[in-house]
Amino acid sequence: MKPLLERLNAQLDLYRSRSGSPWPHVPGSRFPDSARDLEIADLLTLAWHLRTAPQLHVNPHFAHHMEGRLLSYDAEVRQRQKAHTRRMRLLKRWLIFIYKSSRRA
Amino acid sequence: MEAIEHLLEQARQGEAKALSTLYHRFLPGIFGYIAIRVPDRATAEDLTSEVFLQMIEGIHHLKATDEAGFAAWLLRIARVVVAGYYRKHARQPVMVPLPGESWEEMQKASLVVSSQPASDDPASWMETREEWQKVVEAINTLTEEQRQVLVGRLILGYDVATVARMIGKRVNAVKALQFRALKSLQRLLGKQDESIHPQQERREKTP
């Protein structure tokens, strides 16, 4: 007989493969035959509660607002990086000029 | 579903669409990881924003090329951000939620239905704001690996092998971690449940 952790994992995998559809039970109802063990059934109920807890679900309004903010921040970061690269290139050119001038002198 | 390697490459080259796809793919996991560790939605949203803004800053230097590696990187940022939040608020333990963000409003939109009374089942501790606070406290007592396994398995919906790559452990270790994480939560939530009942009984006996 498989140890408890293997059986729990097998059940979680089974439910994961049905993603998109709800898990095959609601709290308080009977579990499928494959989850006979009461301990496993309790842990699965707890996992189900965690998975479906409304507190963990993203608010679509927040997701949309954040996406816009993220994209404009990305544009800003790119602009900053471009300006930094330009400055570094100028600095490099200036240092080369100084070096060459000092050698000529 | 588009391959993560391709998306990361495009995002590094400044493709807004790739960045959006990455964001939408990992938002539920990162938000879930943070929301399970802080007591209110407004804070969870603020910290989630911080993680994704840091993602923008660091994505150009990121070495990870696969899904597990990228998820692990984001979760590392999230862990640091949450730790920073708790450090900052160490002397301000009371948090006030923004109006309109209450759990009760979320509950209306939720499909979660429980047929059991709250006292019967540790899982039912998630059903009110105070009870959710207990869940957050219980989650915060788990180890970081246990939390990441729960997020990977339950929220991101990864298989054990992906979670193993994500946290750098063997498959069997991940199975043990998820079992222990759920057992610890069950025990912690059950204990809180028991510790409340004697008080309730005493109150009931008081004339």
Side-chain angles (χ1 to χ4, degrees):
Chain A
M1 196 172 178
K2 282 183 181 176
L4 278 179
L5 60 97
E6 286 288 349
R7 276 184 285 160
L8 173 72
N9 191 60
Q11 283 299 312
L12 286 173
D13 274 343
L14 180 71
Y15 294 165
R16 195 181 67 87
S17 67
R18 302 180 193 186
S19 64
S21 58
W23 286 12
H25 75 278
V26 289
S29 72
R30 286 176 64 85
F31 282 88
D33 291 343
S34 54
R36 285 187 199 105
D37 192 279
L38 188 64
E39 193 175 357
I40 296 291
D42 284 346
L43 295 180
L44 284 171
T45 302
L46 185 58
W48 185 87
H49 273 275
L50 279 175
R51 190 185 159 98
T52 57
Q55 289 89 341
L56 302 188
H57 292 172
V58 181
N59 179 338
H61 177 73
F62 161 74
H64 179 72
H65 174 75
M66 185 60 213
E67 185 181 4
R69 202 176 145 203
L70 205 66
L71 294 178
S72 62
Y73 187 65
D74 183 53
E76 191 190 311
V77 167
R78 268 171 208 292
Q79 205 67 30
R80 224 164 48 204
Q81 280 170 345
K82 260 187 202 164
H84 177 75
T85 312
R86 214 177 300 133
R87 271 201 306 274
M88 292 311 286
R89 209 178 293 144
L90 282 173
L91 179 69
K92 196 178 159 188
R93 265 194 225 159
W94 183 72
L95 287 172
I96 290 171
F97 172 76
I98 298 285
Y99 174 73
K100 282 182 179 170
S101 305
S102 66
R103 285 198 61 170
R104 258 185 242 130
Chain B
M1 198 183 273
E2 224 172 323
I4 196 92
E5 295 85 353
H6 187 54
L7 284 172
L8 281 171
E9 195 48 49
Q10 285 183 320
R12 283 190 195 109
Q13 286 167 8
E15 291 254 357
K17 201 180 163 198
L19 206 59
S20 287
T21 310
L22 282 173
Y23 163 72
H24 283 291
R25 195 184 288 187
F26 290 93
L27 176 64
I30 297 303
F31 180 80
Y33 172 85
I34 293 173
I36 217 164
R37 299 202 54 196
V38 298
D40 64 281
R41 175 169 286 272
T43 305
E45 289 180 351
D46 280 351
L47 300 184
T48 302
S49 304
E50 211 176 311
V51 171
F52 281 100
L53 293 179
Q54 285 194 32
M55 176 190 91
I56 296 290
E57 298 260 3
I59 202 164
H60 307 282
H61 313 291
L62 177 69
K63 286 177 186 165
T65 52
D66 64 341
E67 178 134 7
F70 186 63
W73 179 66
L74 283 180
L75 285 171
R76 263 199 305 276
I77 298 177
R79 189 184 66 188
V80 172
V81 166
V82 171
Y85 163 79
Y86 275 110
R87 257 199 313 274
K88 201 171 155 189
H89 289 77
R91 291 178 190 176
Q92 303 167 327
V94 179
M95 277 154 279
V96 182
L98 290 176
E101 298 284 350
S102 68
W103 182 83
E104 285 73 15
E105 282 183 18
M106 286 304 298
Q107 190 187 29
K108 284 175 194 165
S110 163
L111 297 174
V112 179
V113 177
S114 175
S115 57
Q116 292 179 323
S119 57
D120 286 357
D121 175 12
S124 67
W125 277 95
M126 296 170 208
E127 292 170 7
T128 70
R129 187 178 161 73
E130 290 72 27
E131 288 159 1
W132 180 251
Q133 174 66 43
K134 304 264 190 293
V135 177
V136 170
E137 282 167 15
I139 292 277
N140 280 333
T141 64
L142 299 181
T143 65
E144 182 55 29
E145 282 170 346
Q146 288 176 336
R147 276 193 292 267
Q148 291 203 8
V149 167
L150 287 184
V151 168
R153 290 287 277 153
L154 301 179
I155 300 170
L156 287 165
Y158 290 156
D159 59 17
V160 180
T162 306
V163 175
R165 282 201 303 279
M166 194 173 93
I167 64 166
K169 292 266 176 190
R170 287 167 188 260
V171 164
N172 283 339
V174 172
K175 289 176 187 172
L177 280 166
Q178 81 184 355
F179 181 77
R180 267 186 250 128
L182 287 170
K183 281 297 282 181
S184 298
L185 274 184
Q186 189 187 42
R187 183 174 43 78
L188 288 164
L189 295 173
K191 204 184 275 178
Q192 284 166 346
D193 194 21
E194 283 163 19
S195 69
I196 288 290
H197 279 299
Q199 290 170 7
Q200 283 176 341
E201 281 164 19
R202 272 199 299 276
R203 270 203 300 270
E204 280 160 15
K205 282 175 190 171
T206 310

